[in-house]
Amino acid sequence: MRLTWAGKAEVLLDMSASAVFILDLKGKLLICRNYKGDVNMSEIEHFIPILTQREDEGDISPLLTHGKVHFLWIKYSNLYLVAMTKKNANVSLVYAFLYKLIQVFTEYFKELEEESIRDNFVIVYELLDEVMDFGFPQTTDSKILQEYITQQSQKLEVAAPRPPATVTNAVSWRSEGIKYKKNEVFIDVIEGVNVLVSANGNVLQSEIVGSVKLRVFLSGMPELRLGLNDKVLFELTGRSKNKSVELEDVKFHQCVRLSRFENDRTISFIPPDGDFELMSYRLNIHVKPLIWIESVIEKFSHSRVEYMIKAKSQFKKQSVANNVEIIIPVPSDADSPKFKTSVGSAKWVPENNTVVWTIKSLPGGKEYLMRAHFGLPSVENENSEGKPPITIKFEIPYFTVSGVQVRYMKIIEKTGYQALPWVRYITQSGDYQLRTH
């Protein structure tokens, strides 16, 4: 028997978590659920002493063992979430389940902490009852769970609400009978650019972290097929590879048929209703910095420091970077700021020891200048402070650095209605840093 879960991969059913516990930071038990009855629940009393001992020895591990019992644990806020097992369990799947459990609780209670567990004890127990059965994950989609486990479930009711059909359906992430007057799908291809540039202007690290997010307003139970300019697909079909992209570390939502993708690279799925992330990917490639910064920083001993910052956009002229923020670190003892900008505005943020140069709209192929002048009462801590890098935030619509493109989106539904797919491309700054001399 095989299971496809959480969009990771097909894995053998070795999950087998015997019990799940939620503890406070002192190790006091808040709530637990025994799923298999094959372990002594009092074993959890050994968890905190073992964890404390391992912390003291500097040998902390995400998996702790006492006798034949294994503790797989996560610390979140002021809580410990612990799965206990005696089997040789699939550890990565157990952790994926624990993180999914955190996500479900957060979507129910907004903040997951000790107080929210105590205030919603009944709902937490009901959720623990639904998300796992005999040690195996079941319904972990909060949208579906919220259809029949509600905030009102703390009240006694004569007739308990019936679980929706989705719980027993093969498609557990989508309810039946959904209807819209206008059937539409909105596709966002969002890429974050991570760049680290040395003070000499060399790119030390660069990568693209992308995601394809969907907003679905479709009636019935449609099947969607998404086509990208995937290099492997182009190789399989004998197409030209000139405009193809090789995607790495691809992760899918659980709705995607993984076997179909592995066979012919077709992204085929029945989507959840509303917003969700269909897939994420990474490209470990050399990225030319989209916004280049040249900085000249002059310190005049015991008197002042002057900055000349030049920002140059290195993307095509038809593109525009919006809401650009260039964040320049300044000494903690700087005061009396004076600014002069060729575009936008500059603001001193003393609590962060930075100057933020804001440019609402930066077209491609442009250069702009900002000068700043600060008084310096002293320069005693000049060396001890170090030199934090300049960081940049921006967003460029209708543009992807990698060249990823949506080639088609086919929508198939038995009633044969026509639906409109809309595609939008966005490039954003990720961890974007430029070091200074």
Side-chain angles (χ1 to χ4, degrees):
M1 187 176 182
R2 302 179 79 84
L3 169 72
T4 300
W5 181 76
K8 298 291 182 185
E10 288 191 324
V11 293
L12 289 172
L13 279 176
D14 290 335
M15 166 86 189
S16 225
S18 298
V20 171
F21 301 81
I22 301 176
L23 315 174
D24 67 14
L25 292 182
K26 294 180 180 178
K28 185 178 179 182
L29 180 63
L30 300 177
I31 195 168
C32 65
R33 180 71 170 83
N34 188 350
Y35 292 106
K36 298 189 71 175
D38 64 342
V39 293
N40 186 341
M41 297 293 278
S42 64
E43 286 283 347
I44 195 63
E45 295 171 8
H46 300 288
F47 170 70
I48 288 293
I50 295 172
L51 179 62
T52 305
Q53 181 185 345
R54 295 288 286 270
E55 284 179 339
D56 291 343
E57 295 170 356
D59 186 28
I60 197 163
S61 167
L63 192 152
L64 304 173
T65 301
H66 179 259
K68 294 183 178 181
V69 175
H70 307 290
F71 304 107
L72 293 85
W73 62 279
I74 291 171
K75 184 180 178 183
Y76 185 88
S77 184
N78 56 358
L79 298 170
Y80 288 110
L81 282 80
V82 186
M84 192 160 71
T85 179
K86 286 176 74 175
K87 301 279 186 181
N88 184 18
N90 185 320
V91 174
S92 62
L93 195 54
V94 174
Y95 278 112
F97 171 78
L98 290 176
Y99 280 110
K100 188 68 179 178
L101 193 59
I102 289 170
Q103 184 183 334
V104 169
F105 287 152
T106 304
E107 287 173 356
Y108 262 84
F109 313 131
K110 293 186 179 178
E111 294 290 335
L112 176 57
E113 52 189 31
E114 181 182 341
E115 188 178 349
S116 58
I117 296 294
R118 292 186 185 278
D119 290 347
N120 298 279
F121 186 86
V122 174
I123 295 176
V124 172
Y125 199 83
E126 286 188 36
L127 288 169
L128 289 173
D129 208 38
E130 290 295 334
V131 295
M132 181 172 277
D133 185 29
F134 200 66
F136 301 117
Q138 301 297 312
T139 305
T140 56
D141 191 307
S142 58
K143 287 183 182 177
I144 302 302
L145 290 165
Q146 284 170 359
E147 289 186 23
Y148 64 104
I149 298 179
T150 65
Q151 299 295 339
Q152 287 74 40
S153 60
Q154 296 177 60
K155 301 173 184 176
L156 288 173
E157 296 179 4
V158 177
R162 288 186 64 189
T166 43
V167 175
T168 52
N169 277 357
V171 183
S172 62
W173 52 86
R174 183 178 179 89
S175 300
E176 292 183 357
I178 296 171
K179 289 183 180 179
Y180 288 101
K181 287 184 179 179
K182 191 175 184 181
N183 292 289
E184 295 178 305
V185 180
F186 297 89
I187 307 164
D188 281 348
V189 180
I190 302 170
E191 291 189 343
V193 181
N194 297 336
V195 173
L196 177 61
V197 180
S198 73
N200 298 324
N202 298 319
V203 177
L204 302 177
Q205 296 175 5
S206 65
E207 67 171 0
I208 298 166
V209 180
S211 64
V212 178
K213 296 183 178 181
L214 269 62
R215 176 172 288 184
V216 177
F217 303 111
L218 295 175
S219 305
M221 197 68 72
E223 180 178 328
L224 276 58
R225 291 175 191 165
L226 177 70
L228 303 173
N229 56 334
D230 178 10
K231 185 178 180 181
V232 179
L233 173 63
F234 278 36
E235 287 174 350
L236 287 172
T237 55
R239 290 192 182 97
S240 168
K241 293 182 282 184
N242 292 342
K243 294 185 178 180
S244 64
V245 177
E246 187 171 3
L247 304 176
E248 304 169 31
D249 293 346
V250 179
K251 295 175 185 174
F252 289 110
H253 186 275
Q254 63 180 10
C255 67
V256 174
R257 295 184 177 92
L258 296 179
S259 57
R260 179 82 186 269
F261 180 76
E262 288 166 2
N263 287 337
D264 59 13
R265 305 293 283 191
T266 299
I267 303 171
S268 173
F269 57 99
I270 296 173
D273 189 43
D275 297 335
F276 73 102
E277 183 176 281
L278 176 69
M279 62 180 284
S280 63
Y281 59 89
R282 185 180 61 85
L283 287 95
N284 193 7
I285 59 174
H286 177 79
V287 179
K288 180 183 177 183
L290 298 171
I291 298 177
W292 185 258
I293 299 293
E294 291 179 18
S295 61
V296 177
I297 303 169
E298 289 186 284
K299 280 194 176 181
F300 300 88
S301 183
H302 297 282
S303 60
R304 68 187 191 278
V305 59
E306 293 182 357
Y307 294 80
M308 189 201 73
I309 308 295
K310 184 191 288 184
K312 181 180 180 182
S313 53
Q314 300 193 131
F315 46 87
K316 293 178 181 178
K317 290 182 179 179
Q318 58 264 39
S319 295
V320 177
N322 296 327
N323 304 317
V324 178
E325 286 188 1
I326 301 167
I327 302 163
I328 304 115
V330 297
S332 57
D333 54 357
D335 61 15
S336 309
K338 295 177 183 176
F339 303 111
K340 188 177 181 181
T341 62
S342 60
V343 70
S345 61
K347 180 184 178 183
W348 180 36
V349 186
E351 61 268 26
N352 297 334
N353 299 323
T354 59
V355 170
V356 179
W357 179 15
T358 303
I359 305 171
K360 193 172 182 181
S361 180
L362 176 60
K366 295 287 185 180
E367 280 188 20
Y368 294 117
L369 201 64
M370 189 274 286
R371 294 180 184 273
H373 175 285
F374 283 90
L376 277 183
S378 69
V379 288
E380 291 174 6
N381 57 0
E382 176 184 355
N383 296 324
S384 62
E385 280 190 4
K387 293 181 179 177
I390 294 172
T391 58
I392 308 177
K393 297 178 182 178
F394 60 85
E395 184 174 283
I396 307 174
Y398 318 115
F399 175 80
T400 57
V401 183
S402 68
V404 166
Q405 291 180 352
V406 175
R407 292 173 48 243
Y408 64 83
M409 167 66 86
K410 294 180 181 176
I411 301 164
I412 305 159
E413 212 277 333
K414 61 184 179 182
T415 59
Y417 62 69
Q418 295 295 310
L420 295 171
W422 304 89
V423 183
R424 181 173 62 169
Y425 300 95
I426 303 170
T427 293
Q428 300 172 334
S429 55
D431 188 9
Y432 199 106
Q433 300 185 353
L434 298 98
R435 292 176 178 169
T436 60
H437 284 288

